[in-house]
Amino acid sequence: MKTISTSVHVDAAPDRVWEVLTDLAGYPAWNPFIREAAGTVEVGSRLTLRMFPAQGRPMTFKPKVLAADSGTELRWIGRLLAPGVFDGEHWFRLAPAADGGTDLEQGERFSGLLVPLLGSTIARTQADFEALNQALKQHVENRTRTSPQRTTQP
């Protein structure tokens, strides 16, 4: 088993980050790693994700959503060929920060027979996660700055 984890602080509330993270149709506008995404973000559904690693060929996965807790966690599992060959349990965890922002953790736990053979590929994936984190941060923060301020009526 091999686990990689990355994190970033986003200057926006978790609901704003969640909104962008779960807008799969919007991925091409900001996401450098998962450039094509489709499906419904709900437990039990299958997503179609086309990933473009910085070092490697594009690949399509159809992971199953394991958790979709609004503003808190999005988690899925993808498999290559059959369970136990090469499995990846991927997550995004959002936590409210004291400053009103969001601490985002993105990670993946890889398991299966091929993990020892794909160690260098897994290691390179961390840079792709970090690029996604930075792009998500920038996109959410730019949207937050340009959104109209909400006002309450007396």
Side-chain angles (χ1 to χ4, degrees):
M1 193 172 332
K2 172 87 174 147
T3 301
I4 58 175
S5 179
T6 61
S7 61
V8 68
H9 178 78
V10 182
D11 291 324
D15 63 325
R16 293 282 188 142
V17 177
W18 182 259
E19 182 181 306
V20 170
L21 191 60
T22 58
D23 176 16
L24 303 180
Y27 276 28
W30 65 268
N31 196 325
F33 181 46
I34 306 172
R35 295 187 205 163
E36 299 170 19
T40 305
V41 179
E42 62 185 37
V43 174
S45 70
R46 289 228 176 252
L47 306 177
T48 301
L49 306 175
R50 184 128 172 101
M51 300 179 188
F52 292 76
Q55 297 180 12
R57 296 184 355 227
M59 56 194 124
T60 301
F61 287 99
K62 296 194 177 200
K64 181 178 181 180
V65 177
L66 301 175
D69 301 322
S70 183
T72 306
E73 180 183 36
L74 174 58
R75 185 167 35 96
W76 63 66
I77 188 161
R79 295 192 159 106
L80 183 63
L81 301 175
V85 176
F86 186 73
D87 302 337
E89 186 172 331
H90 192 100
W91 66 83
F92 293 93
R93 294 183 182 129
L94 294 73
D99 67 358
T102 303
D103 292 324
L104 171 79
E105 177 194 11
Q106 178 186 189
E108 190 153 355
R109 182 176 305 110
F110 299 93
S111 60
L113 297 171
L114 294 180
V115 169
L117 302 174
L118 297 172
S120 62
T121 300
I122 292 169
R124 288 192 304 265
T125 301
Q126 184 156 348
D128 293 318
F129 286 8
E130 290 169 356
L132 187 157
N133 289 355
Q134 289 304 313
L136 176 63
K137 171 183 172 65
Q138 182 178 356
H139 187 72
V140 171
E141 290 175 357
N142 287 344
R143 281 176 50 135
T144 300
R145 279 189 213 101
T146 60
S147 298
Q149 294 296 321
R150 295 181 198 167
T151 58
T152 56
Q153 299 296 322

